[in-house]
Amino acid sequence: MRNTGAVAGAETVQLYAIDPVAQVTRPVRSLLGFAKVALAPGRQATVRFHVHTDRLAFAGLDGRRIVEAGEIQLHAGSSSLDTPVRAVVRLVGAERDATVLRHHAVPVTVERNWPCP
């Protein structure tokens, strides 16, 4: 993200997951994490979300929390309706029991860069 304006500002960057194919109907998009980033004029920052697969767990057909293989769409932006940054990740392997979530948080790192090129 970058501040191209003449005054300091802040933006809340939000990360959403979309699971288009699962054994049960999932929410259209799920908020995984967010970070409020303040930037001086002419500055930019790189925001990285570190998402463990536990955060993609859901209640399967039998009611157990699971993580299953498949394609997950990640969308990032300033709101659920404004997500210009997108990526697709593929989870591979056997279905995993996630009854006990070990990783609840989504750590975020913000790398502030010098003036925009």
Side-chain angles (χ1 to χ4, degrees), residues 38-111:
L39 288 175
R43 302 292 179 154
Q44 64 183 12
T46 301
V47 179
R48 288 189 177 88
F49 293 91
H50 308 274
V51 181
H52 191 278
T53 56
D54 282 356
R55 289 291 291 131
L56 303 172
F58 62 93
L61 289 172
D62 62 2
R64 290 181 312 111
R65 288 193 61 78
I66 60 168
V67 176
E68 67 180 0
E71 190 174 275
I72 302 293
Q73 299 170 13
L74 299 174
H75 294 200
S78 61
S79 76
S80 63
L81 299 176
D82 179 21
T83 54
V85 180
R86 298 180 179 198
V88 174
V89 295
R90 178 168 277 299
L91 302 179
V92 297
E95 180 181 290
R96 181 174 65 80
D97 185 295
T99 303
V100 178
L101 290 179
R102 292 171 181 83
H103 301 277
H104 297 279
V106 175
V108 180
T109 58
V110 178
E111 177 184 323

